[in-house]
Amino acid sequence: MRPSPIVALNRAIAIAQDQGPERGIDEINAITDGDRMARYPSYAAAIGELELRRGQREVATQHFRAALSLARNPSEGQFFNQRLLACMSENNPSPREGNQ
């Protein structure tokens, strides 16, 4: 069986949960077939979430906007929009900002 980019993305997310967002981003960046993944909304959303956890609101906003533009159904779009709003909300600090 050949590993897929989707499996690699899920692995990167799991690593981020265990070892932190920086490590997760490193794993995402190592995924091959990036052109194909760029059309997958959860790819952009995963990067956005990890960037938000790193306190990189502007970068996270860009990724959630990309995810929103790729949303495949209204529920997915609503979720990505909520995460986008979280990036722009000063009342909702990222985990890194909340610990300072």
Side-chain angles (χ1 to χ4, degrees), residues 4-23:
S4 76
I6 303 299
V7 171
L9 178 62
N10 289 331
R11 180 180 180 278
I13 292 167
I15 288 171
Q17 292 295 331
D18 182 56
Q19 298 176 23
E22 291 85 5
R23 182 75 172 96

Side-chain angles (χ1 to χ4, degrees), residues 67-69 71-83:
L68 184 58
S69 74
R72 299 169 291 190
N73 59 61
S75 295
E76 202 172 65
Q78 182 179 11
F79 175 76
F80 296 146
N81 193 54
Q82 288 172 348
R83 299 311 296 147

Side-chain angles (χ1 to χ4, degrees), residues 10-81:
N10 289 331
R11 180 180 180 278
I13 292 167
I15 288 171
Q17 292 295 331
D18 182 56
Q19 298 176 23
E22 291 85 5
R23 182 75 172 96
I25 288 173
D26 289 343
E27 290 293 320
I28 288 174
N29 288 335
I31 296 173
T32 58
D33 205 0
D35 292 337
R36 178 176 160 208
M37 292 300 290
R39 296 185 302 268
Y40 182 55
S42 294
Y43 179 75
I47 297 170
E49 190 64 39
L50 296 179
E51 291 292 359
L52 183 58
R53 290 180 187 182
R54 290 177 60 204
Q56 301 297 316
R57 288 181 183 276
E58 290 180 25
V59 176
T61 297
Q62 293 170 0
H63 287 287
F64 281 118
R65 281 189 177 135
L68 184 58
S69 74
L70 296 167
R72 299 169 291 190
N73 59 61
S75 295
E76 202 172 65
Q78 182 179 11
F79 175 76
F80 296 146
N81 193 54

